[in-house]
């Protein structure tokens, strides 16, 4: 018997894509995180951080959870808050979909929409700064702080990465996931480079993000990108990085819904496109695991709305061969991402990162069993 919905987090399936994947190339497997109860991969770090906060006395009964999120992480925290009896405040921005806003509110979260852009043209810094301010003002509150808290990547090191390697350890050649706060890419890449160093680790980002270097610009793909390299990500563990345009990401996600029956969001569409590229370079005995971070229901009003797509100047129709050709033409943004790392230690002071986060980070960095003597930065 399952005593709480939270016990169903994790152990998500690997799914083949027989209509899109050719028999003479590497096999693509989607790690389908929509199966988590909150509907996305963010359930994993969210429950890990909350459990740790409770264990450390940082979050007490009747407390308030405050977080900056474009959607999925906030939804996960809202679900956990409902199950555990916490007040939850989530700071979002105008890119957050109406469906995500509705989900946050259905779990009882209080939502603040931050409309002021930061110096990178996004809302990340202004959201984070306001979340930290509220955490200082509201008694008995806790900031999970997914951007700066190393528990984010530790959660994936301890769960997601282990699942992937246990499912296909002998044949895994490539792992692909998107990057924003760096949690999943940072934790999984660290695990793979420790226990399966021959596996190629590929990071996927949006054109307009500066995580892997380059100039910043606006983009529409939600849940990816930053104006800097997050502390959760050790770039030395990343073999290649790709940047995908908005239209490529949205169109690919639509094709997989129509031709494989698999719903995914735009960031997962970006990863799936790169997965098709890498599969074309491999033999059938090799596997490419691609993280599909959430389902497509949260993007019905954007990604799957023909009128919205047309307003952005995007195509609305494509087929399998179209995206396979598109994938084959992709070129990596970087074959040595460590050379273009864009860490910003000044942001810790500038954004008033909570002392609790800094204390946790110091402890994690000194864990020999987890990092095996290698620091994140």
């Amino acid at each position: 018997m399952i005593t709480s919905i939270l016990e169903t987090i994790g152990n998500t399936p690997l799914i083949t894509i027989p209509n899109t994947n050719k028999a003479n190339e590497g096999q693509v497997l989607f790690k389908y995180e929509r199966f988590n109860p909150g509907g996305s991969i963010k359930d994993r770090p969210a429950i890990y951080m909350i459990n740790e906060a409770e264990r450390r006395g940082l979050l007490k009964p009747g407390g308030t959870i405050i977080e900056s999120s474009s959607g999925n992480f906030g939804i996960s925290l809202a679900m956990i808050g409902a199950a555990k009896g916490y007040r939850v405040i989530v700071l979002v921005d105008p890119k957050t979909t109406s469906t995500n806003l509705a989900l946050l509110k259905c779990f009882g979260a209080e939502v603040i929409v931050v409309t002021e852009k930061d110096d990178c043209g996004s809302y990340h810094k202004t959201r984070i700064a306001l979340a930290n301010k509220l955490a200082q003002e509201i008694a008995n509150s806790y900031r999970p702080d997914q951007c700066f808290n190393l528990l984010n990547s530790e959660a994936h090191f301890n769960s997601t990465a282990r699942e992937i390697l246990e499912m296909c350890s002998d044949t895994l050649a490539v792992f692909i996931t998107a990057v924003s706060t760096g949690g999943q890419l940072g934790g999984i890449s660290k695990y793979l480079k420790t226990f399966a160093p021959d596996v190629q680790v590929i990071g996927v980002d949006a054109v307009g993000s500066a995580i892997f270097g380059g100039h910043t610009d606006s983009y529409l793909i939600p849940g990816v990108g930053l104006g800097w390299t997050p502390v959760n990500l050790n770039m030395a563990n990343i073999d290649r990085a790709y940047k995908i345009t908005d239209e490529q990401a949205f169109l690919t996600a639509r094709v997989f819904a129509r031709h494989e029956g698999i719903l995914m969001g735009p960031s997962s569409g970006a990863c799936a496109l790169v997965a098709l590229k890498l599969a074309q370079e491999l033999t059938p005995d090799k596997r490419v695991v691609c993280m599909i971070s959430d389902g497509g229901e949260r993007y019905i009003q954007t990604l799957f709305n023909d009128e919205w797509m047309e307003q952005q100047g995007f195509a609305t129709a494509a087929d399998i061969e179209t995206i396979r050709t598109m994938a084959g033409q992709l070129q990596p943004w970087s074959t040595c991402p460590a050379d273009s790392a864009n860490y910003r230690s000044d942001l810790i002071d500038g954004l008033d990162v909570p002392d609790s986060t800094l204390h946790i980070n110091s402890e994690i960095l000194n864990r020999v069993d987890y990092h095996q003597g290698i620091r994140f930065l």
Side-chain angles (χ1 to χ4, degrees):
M1 178 185 297
I2 296 174
T3 59
S4 167
I5 188 67
L6 305 181
E7 293 178 18
T8 65
I9 295 173
N11 296 309
T12 53
L14 288 174
I15 301 174
T16 62
I17 48 171
N19 298 331
T20 313
N21 210 173
K22 302 298 184 183
N24 64 345
E25 62 191 14
Q27 183 184 38
V28 176
L29 298 173
F30 285 166
K31 183 70 167 156
Y32 201 41
E33 294 295 299
R34 181 188 179 208
F35 275 63
N36 286 306
S40 83
I41 194 171
K42 295 292 188 175
D43 285 3
R44 296 174 182 267
I47 191 61
Y48 193 82
M49 289 181 185
I50 296 305
N51 286 344
E52 278 293 300
E54 292 173 336
R55 185 180 69 81
R56 296 165 184 263
L58 299 172
L59 181 59
K60 299 178 176 65
T64 301
I65 300 168
I66 302 172
E67 188 58 285
S68 163
S69 169
S70 62
N72 283 337
F73 192 65
I75 291 167
S76 296
L77 289 173
M79 175 191 68
I80 293 166
K84 287 179 171 280
Y86 295 118
R87 177 190 181 192
V88 178
I89 301 173
V90 180
L91 291 87
V92 300
D93 61 52
K95 289 199 298 184
T96 304
T97 67
S98 59
T99 304
N100 281 354
L101 292 173
L103 283 168
L104 286 166
K105 293 174 182 178
C106 87
F107 284 123
E110 301 168 38
V111 177
I112 298 173
V113 181
V114 177
T115 58
E116 180 186 354
K117 289 187 176 182
D118 58 29
D119 56 0
C120 296
S122 69
Y123 304 90
H124 293 105
K125 293 179 186 176
T126 48
R127 282 194 340 230
I128 292 168
L130 181 54
N132 290 340
K133 181 176 183 291
L134 290 175
Q136 293 172 2
E137 296 173 349
I138 297 174
N140 192 19
S141 64
Y142 172 65
R143 273 276 286 127
D145 192 17
Q146 62 171 327
C147 259
F148 290 93
N149 193 336
L150 294 183
L151 290 174
N152 187 354
S153 53
E154 185 174 81
H156 293 290
F157 183 97
N158 287 331
S159 69
T160 325
R162 294 175 189 268
E163 288 178 24
I164 292 168
L165 210 52
E166 287 171 359
M167 288 177 170
C168 54
S169 59
D170 295 335
T171 56
L172 179 60
V174 179
F175 171 74
I176 300 168
T177 194
V179 60
S180 177
T181 61
Q184 54 186 293
L185 182 57
I188 297 171
S189 65
K190 171 59 184 170
Y191 190 91
L192 291 176
K193 291 306 178 184
T194 301
F195 299 105
D198 291 336
V199 174
Q200 290 282 297
V201 177
I202 311 298
V204 179
D205 202 5
V207 171
S209 168
I211 290 176
F212 296 115
H215 73 281
T216 58
D217 201 353
S218 60
Y219 52 89
L220 293 172
I221 304 172
V224 295
L226 284 173
W228 68 93
T229 304
V231 296
N232 271 284
L233 183 59
N234 182 350
M235 295 277 266
N237 292 329
I238 314 304
D239 296 292
R240 274 183 276 176
Y242 285 81
K243 289 191 179 185
I244 304 301
T245 68
D246 290 330
E247 184 171 21
Q248 288 173 328
F250 280 75
L251 200 58
T252 301
R254 288 170 67 100
V255 169
F256 274 103
R258 181 63 61 89
H259 297 283
E260 292 283 0
I262 298 176
L263 288 173
M264 63 181 70
S267 67
S268 298
C271 292
L273 187 65
V274 175
L276 293 178
K277 164 71 174 181
L278 274 296
Q280 292 171 17
E281 300 175 356
L282 296 171
T283 54
D285 59 320
K286 300 299 181 182
R287 286 174 166 176
V288 177
V289 170
C290 174
M291 190 64 71
I292 304 299
S293 295
D294 63 7
E297 303 96 324
R298 298 176 181 186
Y299 310 98
I300 295 297
Q301 299 305 318
T302 54
L303 165 59
F304 295 108
N305 183 331
D306 286 354
E307 182 178 352
W308 183 90
M309 290 282 287
E310 290 169 353
Q311 288 172 353
Q312 315 313 313
F314 298 161
T316 58
D319 55 23
I320 291 171
E321 287 308 314
T322 299
I323 63 166
R324 283 185 56 84
T325 299
M326 188 187 300
Q329 295 171 345
L330 291 178
Q331 295 297 320
W333 165 262
S334 173
T335 56
C336 189
D339 289 346
S340 55
N342 181 28
Y343 294 110
R344 292 282 305 278
S345 58
D346 59 302
L347 293 177
I348 292 175
D349 291 329
L351 298 176
D352 291 325
V353 173
D355 290 340
S356 59
T357 295
L358 299 178
H359 176 76
I360 288 170
N361 288 357
S362 178
E363 178 184 312
I364 290 174
L365 288 170
N366 289 322
R367 287 184 191 164
V368 176
D369 60 332
Y370 171 59
H371 290 282
Q372 301 200 351
I374 300 175
R375 299 178 70 84
F376 267 92
L377 301 181

